[in-house]
Amino acid sequence: MNPPARFLARQKTVAGLVVAALLALGIALYGALPDQMAIHWNAAGNADSVVGKPIAILTMPAVVVFMSLLFEITDADVGERIVGSLAMLLLLAVQVMAFGVNLGYNVPIVPITLALAGGMVAVAVWFEMR
């Protein structure tokens, strides 16, 4: 197994790093973020769901922890752990973009997220086929 695959197979490590990064970023940006934050966008790129800042900051780390627990409970194989790690890294990227949008940056979140998700699927298929 190549080094990137070995790292991604260590799903608990990836989950821990992603949660730490998400929490550190949320804490660092807390004062600059608006009280109500957009967390979902429609296909046209318009925000269609808004929540309070604490929920917007803490939900994604909670999702990653929940995902990690599911991988442990289900006794996932190496391929499934790699795909899970890729999904967690995708969630990190989406949260970073959401922070950017909420800070006023013009981030084309929908096309970037779709491209990243497509790339994640391609990489996951590649890992599974090896």
Side-chain angles (χ1 to χ4, degrees), residues 14-74:
V14 173
L17 292 171
V18 168
V19 168
L22 288 168
L23 291 174
L25 192 57
I27 290 167
L29 296 174
Y30 194 85
L33 291 166
D35 290 336
Q36 293 292 308
M37 293 178 54
I39 60 162
H40 190 269
W41 291 261
N42 62 23
N46 300 315
D48 61 5
S49 183
V50 179
V51 298
K53 180 172 23 180
I55 293 170
I57 290 172
L58 296 174
T59 298
M60 202 66 84
V63 169
V64 172
V65 168
F66 179 72
M67 285 175 61
S68 185
L69 291 173
L70 283 178
F71 282 103
E72 293 306 310
I73 292 168
T74 61

Side-chain angles (χ1 to χ4, degrees), residues 1-128:
M1 191 179 305
N2 61 36
R6 266 196 309 274
F7 172 71
L8 291 171
R10 296 173 57 200
Q11 177 272 317
K12 285 193 288 189
T13 301
V14 173
L17 292 171
V18 168
V19 168
L22 288 168
L23 291 174
L25 192 57
I27 290 167
L29 296 174
Y30 194 85
L33 291 166
D35 290 336
Q36 293 292 308
M37 293 178 54
I39 60 162
H40 190 269
W41 291 261
N42 62 23
N46 300 315
D48 61 5
S49 183
V50 179
V51 298
K53 180 172 23 180
I55 293 170
I57 290 172
L58 296 174
T59 298
M60 202 66 84
V63 169
V64 172
V65 168
F66 179 72
M67 285 175 61
S68 185
L69 291 173
L70 283 178
F71 282 103
E72 293 306 310
I73 292 168
T74 61
D75 198 29
D77 67 22
V78 171
E80 292 165 338
R81 289 176 186 275
I82 289 171
V83 172
S85 291
L86 289 169
M88 291 173 191
L89 292 169
L90 175 64
L91 293 177
L92 172 63
V94 169
Q95 183 75 331
V96 168
M97 288 187 291
F99 284 154
V101 169
N102 283 285
L103 289 170
Y105 294 99
N106 186 18
V107 179
I109 196 165
V110 173
I112 292 173
T113 300
L114 290 174
L116 288 173
M120 184 201 82
V121 169
V123 170
V125 168
W126 180 75
F127 274 122
E128 284 291 320

